[in-house]
Amino acid sequence: MYRCPHYHRRMDTSQLNPLRRRCLLATLAALATPSLLARTESVVRIGLTPVFLDDLASFIARWRRWFEKKLDQPVSFIQRGNYREVVNLLRTGKIDFAWICGYPYVRYRHELRLVGVPLWKGRPTYRSYLIVHSQAGGQRSLGDLRGKVFAYSDPDSNSGFLYPQYSLLSSGENPARFFGRTFFTWSHRNVVESVAVGLADGGAVDSYVWETLLELHPDLVQATRIIERSPEFGHTPFVARARIDAALFSRFRDILYGMASDLEGAALLRELRLDGFAAAEPRLYDSIARMAKLVGQY
Amino acid sequence: MFTDLSLRWKIPLRVMGAVLGTAFMVTAALVAREYEDTQRALEAHTQSLARVLANTLITPILHDDIWRAYEILRSARDPDMLGPDRQAELFVVSDAESRVFAANRPKDFPVGSELASSWIASPELNHILRSDSLEQHVVTSENQSYRIVTAPLVSDGIILGHVLLGYSKRFYLPRLTELVRRALFVTLLVLALVLPVSWVWAHRTARPLLDLARAMSHVPNALDAALAAPLPAIGDEIGQLGASFRRMLEELLKKQALEQQVAASERLAAIGRLTAGIAHEINNPLGGMLTAIRTHRRHNDDPQLGEQTLSLLERGLTQIRNTVAALLVETKAEDRPLEPADIDDLIILAEAEAHAKSVRLLREGGIDGPLPLPASLVRQIVLNLLLNAIQAADPGGTAALSIRTEPGKLLLSVRNDGAHIPEDQLGYLFEPFVSGRAQGHGLGLWVVYQIVHQLGGGLSVHSEPGQTVFSIEMPYEMPA
C-alpha cells in the first residue's frame, strides 16, 4: 500500500501549529488595535470547483462561516462553471486560495503554491472511474465504447478528462476520434447522471465523487457500473496564489490541517466524507504530470 | 319482459333510468368540454414552452454543449405543476442534420441518432424538419399516441435545429376516470335519495290502477263481483276511468237482462210458429177426412163411396205421416257411399224441372271417386236446394251446382240469380213451415238443415240482389 512519507511527517507539525496560532489570534483579538482590525476586515477569497459536490449550498455556507470564525476574517467562496475560470482567477491574483484538480495544478505549478491535500479513506489519493450504464452488459472495458457517446466532466479535470485521454493514447487510440461523440458536463456529478439516464454511453468520473454520491443518491449511482479503475493519483489539492501573503498562507494552512481535530471542522469533514486535509509534496502529482505531458504531445 | 311488469316496478325503474340517463348525458357533456379545454390549454402551453426553449437552446447548440441542453430540457418539465399528464412530457432537440442533440429521455432518443428513424417520426414531421419553415408546427407522432409541437432554433436567419415537444394524446384519461368516478358517486347518491321517494310515489300512483285492473278482471264472467270491487274514488283521469267503468258495468248488466228477455220471447215465438205450422199441416187433411167420414155416414149403403172414403182417409193419413216423418229427420240408417254417378243423377233429376221453367242449369266441378258420406242424404239435400234454386230463378235465369273437395271435406254450393231473400226472412229461413212460396209445405230447408247439422257440417246462406248462394261444408273421415 502506498504511503507518502512527507504526509506523515507534516501531519505531526500540522497538529501543533493551529493551537499555537489560535492563542496568538486570541491575544491579538483581545488587544483589538485598529491596524490589526483593518487587516482582518479584508476578505479572504477561496475558489471552489466541482472536485467535490459543490452544489450543496447550505453546506458551503456553513463551511464558509467556519472559515470566517477560524480566520477571524470575512471569507468569500467563489464558484465558477469550470476549472479554468477558477484557475485563471487564482493565477491573476483575484482569489487567494482554491480547491482545484491535480491536472491544472501540475500545469501551473510554478504559479501556484500547494497548501494541502484531502485525506480520503485515510489516503491522499483517488482514482478515475470509467463508468457505463449498469444495464449495458456488453461493455466491459474502454475499448467497447468505440464510436459511442462519452461524457467528460471538465477539460481541466484529471480523473474526468486527462486519464481517459491518456488511457486511450496508451492503447494506441486517437482520443479525438475514438468516440462517436463527446461532451463536457462541467461536474463529476453530472457525468454520473449523464450515464445513468442514458444521455452518454460512458463517462469518466472522480472516484471520490462517485463513492460519495453512492451514499447520497444510491438510485442514481447504482444505474452506473465501473468498467475501469485508474491507478491512484494525488487527490485534488488546495492551492494558493503564488504571491500570497505569507502570514495568511500559513494561517490558512494551519486551519485547514487542524480541521479534523476541531469539533465543527470534523463535522464538516464528515459531510465531505473526508478524513481531513494534510500537507503534501508536489511530487504527489508527478504521475499526473507525466500523463499531461504525454497527452499534450498529441 | 319489461312491458309485462307491474306499474309498481315500472315506475321506480323508469325513474332510475331517467336519473342514470341524465347522469350519463351530463357526464358525457362535461367530459367532452373538459377534453376540449384541456387539449386547447395543453397545446397553447406546449407551444409557448416550445418558443421559450427554442430561444434558450440556441447557445447550447452553438457551443455544442449537450449537457447544458439536457439540463434545460430536463428542467422544462415540471413534475409538480399542472400534473404529469397535463403538460408536455417529451422534449427533444435536434441539430441541423435532424439528429438528436439531446432529449429528456435519452434512452428513447440516443444522442446522435437519426430523428427520422425514431418512433415519433411521421412523414409529415420529417418534412417539417427538412423544410425552411420558421413557424411552429403541430403534428401527430407516427404511432398516433403523441402530439408533437416543433419549433425551429433560429440564429441569424439560419436554422440550427429544432426543438420538439410531445404530449400524450391520452393526457385526459386520468381526468376522465376521475370525472366518471365522481359522476358515478353523485348518481348513486341521487338514486339513494330518489329511489325510496319514487317507490312510495309509484305505489300511490299505481294503487288506483291496480284496483281498477282487478275490478276489470271480473268482466265478463262476474259482473256483480266487478261492481262490488273497490274503485278509486278520486278526481283525476284514473278516477274518471273508474266512474266510466262503473257506468259501463251497469249498462252491460241491463243489456244482459234485456237479451235474456228477447231470447225467451223469440223462443216462445218460434214454438208458436212451429205449433201453428204443425196444426195447419195436420188440420188440412183432417178437415177433408172428417167431411168424407160424415158423407160416408149419410150414404153408408153405397159400396163405391165407401171405397172412395177409405182411399181418401188413407191419403190424408199418409200425408200426416209424411209431414211427421219430415219433421223427425233420421240420419242413423245404413247408407252407401256417395259416388260421382250420384251427382250426374241429381243433374238429370233437376233437368226436367229446369226445362219446364226455362231455367238454365249449370254444373261446376264434381268428385273424382266415392266419398264416405251417406249417398241418399246428400242426394236429398242437394236435390232440395237445386229444386229451390230452380223455383227461385226467373224464367230464362240460371241455377248452378258447384262441387269440390278438400282433404276431409266436401264443399257444395247452389246458387240462382232470381229474386233475393229479404233480410228479415233470413233469420227464420231454416224453421219448419216457413215458405217463401205458395206451394210446398215449407219443410225442405228444415230437412236440409237437420241433415247437415247431424252430419257435423256447416250451412250458410248469402243473398243479395241478383244472387243467392247456399253453401254447405261436410266433413268426412279420410280413409287411412
Side-chain angles (χ1 to χ4, degrees), chain B residues 173-233:
Chain B
L173 269 184
R175 182 85 187 126
L176 179 72
T177 34
E178 168 65 23
L179 265 175
V180 168
R181 196 185 297 124
R182 206 177 300 169
L184 204 63
F185 175 74
V186 171
T187 307
L188 287 178
L189 201 71
V190 170
L191 277 183
L193 290 173
V194 160
L195 263 191
V197 174
S198 75
W199 183 264
V200 173
W201 177 50
H203 271 248
R204 295 182 60 148
T205 310
R207 196 185 302 126
L209 277 172
L210 296 176
D211 288 347
L212 197 58
R214 206 173 303 119
M216 281 183 167
S217 69
H218 294 302
V219 176
N221 295 324
L223 294 181
D224 294 334
L227 205 56
L231 281 177

Side-chain angles (χ1 to χ4, degrees), chain B residues 159-361:
Chain B
I159 295 181
L160 302 175
H162 286 85
V163 59
L164 289 80
L165 273 63
Y167 61 86
S168 171
K169 284 169 81 176
R170 285 189 292 273
F171 64 90
Y172 63 92
L173 269 184
R175 182 85 187 126
L176 179 72
T177 34
E178 168 65 23
L179 265 175
V180 168
R181 196 185 297 124
R182 206 177 300 169
L184 204 63
F185 175 74
V186 171
T187 307
L188 287 178
L189 201 71
V190 170
L191 277 183
L193 290 173
V194 160
L195 263 191
V197 174
S198 75
W199 183 264
V200 173
W201 177 50
H203 271 248
R204 295 182 60 148
T205 310
R207 196 185 302 126
L209 277 172
L210 296 176
D211 288 347
L212 197 58
R214 206 173 303 119
M216 281 183 167
S217 69
H218 294 302
V219 176
N221 295 324
L223 294 181
D224 294 334
L227 205 56
L231 281 177
I234 44 179
D236 65 4
E237 285 80 357
I238 297 174
Q240 292 167 17
L241 202 59
S244 301
F245 173 63
R246 201 180 283 275
R247 277 200 299 281
M248 189 187 86
L249 276 181
E250 285 159 2
E251 293 296 322
L252 268 178
L253 281 170
K254 273 189 214 162
K255 187 163 171 267
Q256 244 180 23
L258 198 66
E259 274 175 354
Q260 279 168 3
Q261 281 177 10
V262 167
S265 61
E266 282 200 344
R267 204 161 52 239
L268 288 174
I271 291 170
R273 286 196 298 275
L274 180 61
T275 314
I278 294 171
H280 179 76
E281 285 301 314
I282 292 174
N283 267 343
N284 274 349
L286 275 185
M289 283 192 291
L290 288 174
T291 308
I293 289 171
R294 274 197 298 273
T295 309
H296 181 69
R297 277 218 184 103
R298 255 191 317 239
H299 311 280
N300 60 355
D301 48 351
D302 186 350
Q304 199 185 350
L305 184 68
E307 189 58 31
Q308 266 180 345
T309 304
L310 277 177
S311 75
L312 192 143
L313 285 176
E314 191 181 14
R315 281 198 305 278
L317 288 171
T318 304
Q319 188 183 347
I320 291 170
R321 192 187 65 181
N322 286 344
T323 301
V324 172
L327 279 170
L328 302 172
V329 178
E330 186 58 67
T331 62
K332 295 286 191 293
E334 283 291 312
D335 209 339
R336 60 179 180 79
L338 183 69
E339 291 185 22
D342 288 316
I343 310 298
D344 302 336
D345 287 353
L346 287 169
I347 295 298
I348 293 165
L349 286 172
E351 230 13 299
E353 185 78 13
H355 190 70
K357 269 211 75 183
S358 316
V359 169
R360 200 149 56 96
L361 186 62

Side-chain angles (χ1 to χ4, degrees), chain A residues 133 181 190 193-194 197-199, chain B residues 64 67 70 74 106-107 111:
Chain A
H133 195 271
R181 184 130 203 195
N190 292 345
E193 185 179 337
S194 293
V197 300
L199 190 65
Chain B
D64 199 22
W67 173 258
Y70 168 74
R74 186 186 57 177
K107 290 205 177 92
V111 172

Side-chain angles (χ1 to χ4, degrees), chain B residues 439-452:
Chain B
Q439 312 100 310
H441 50 50
L443 284 172
L445 285 175
W446 158 260
V447 169
V448 169
Y449 177 84
Q450 290 296 319
I451 292 171
V452 171

Side-chain angles (χ1 to χ4, degrees), chain B residues 22-273:
Chain B
T22 309
F24 180 79
M25 297 299 284
V26 169
T27 308
L30 278 178
V31 165
R33 175 75 192 275
E34 177 83 8
Y35 174 77
E36 271 179 27
D37 284 357
T38 310
Q39 197 195 21
R40 210 171 298 134
L42 186 52
E43 189 160 310
H45 176 253
T46 306
Q47 283 179 323
S48 80
L49 189 58
R51 207 166 296 122
V52 172
L53 286 177
N55 287 328
T56 317
L57 285 161
I58 288 171
T59 311
I61 285 265
L62 284 174
H63 293 182
D64 199 22
D65 194 343
I66 291 177
W67 173 258
R68 184 79 198 114
Y70 168 74
E71 270 189 327
I72 290 168
L73 295 180
R74 186 186 57 177
S75 53
R77 180 171 157 74
D78 184 341
D80 300 323
M81 191 193 74
L82 285 173
D85 32 33
R86 303 185 77 184
Q87 56 177 319
E89 55 185 80
L90 195 64
F91 298 86
V92 183
V93 193
S94 67
D95 60 19
E97 281 82 46
S98 296
R99 285 189 309 245
V100 173
F101 184 74
N104 71 324
R105 275 154 48 176
K107 290 205 177 92
D108 291 349
F109 301 93
V111 172
S113 62
E114 295 287 345
L115 205 51
S117 58
S118 74
W119 57 267
I120 57 165
S122 60
E124 196 185 358
L125 180 65
N126 293 339
H127 176 75
I128 290 166
L129 294 181
R130 280 195 305 272
S131 74
D132 300 332
S133 168
L134 300 182
E135 301 296 314
Q136 285 199 350
H137 295 276
V138 184
V139 297
T140 300
S141 70
E142 182 64 15
N143 65 359
Q144 301 296 319
S145 63
Y146 275 83
R147 293 284 284 170
I148 310 283
V149 173
T150 71
L153 305 181
V154 184
S155 175
D156 196 21
I158 302 281
I159 295 181
L160 302 175
H162 286 85
V163 59
L164 289 80
L165 273 63
Y167 61 86
S168 171
K169 284 169 81 176
R170 285 189 292 273
F171 64 90
Y172 63 92
L173 269 184
R175 182 85 187 126
L176 179 72
T177 34
E178 168 65 23
L179 265 175
V180 168
R181 196 185 297 124
R182 206 177 300 169
L184 204 63
F185 175 74
V186 171
T187 307
L188 287 178
L189 201 71
V190 170
L191 277 183
L193 290 173
V194 160
L195 263 191
V197 174
S198 75
W199 183 264
V200 173
W201 177 50
H203 271 248
R204 295 182 60 148
T205 310
R207 196 185 302 126
L209 277 172
L210 296 176
D211 288 347
L212 197 58
R214 206 173 303 119
M216 281 183 167
S217 69
H218 294 302
V219 176
N221 295 324
L223 294 181
D224 294 334
L227 205 56
L231 281 177
I234 44 179
D236 65 4
E237 285 80 357
I238 297 174
Q240 292 167 17
L241 202 59
S244 301
F245 173 63
R246 201 180 283 275
R247 277 200 299 281
M248 189 187 86
L249 276 181
E250 285 159 2
E251 293 296 322
L252 268 178
L253 281 170
K254 273 189 214 162
K255 187 163 171 267
Q256 244 180 23
L258 198 66
E259 274 175 354
Q260 279 168 3
Q261 281 177 10
V262 167
S265 61
E266 282 200 344
R267 204 161 52 239
L268 288 174
I271 291 170
R273 286 196 298 275

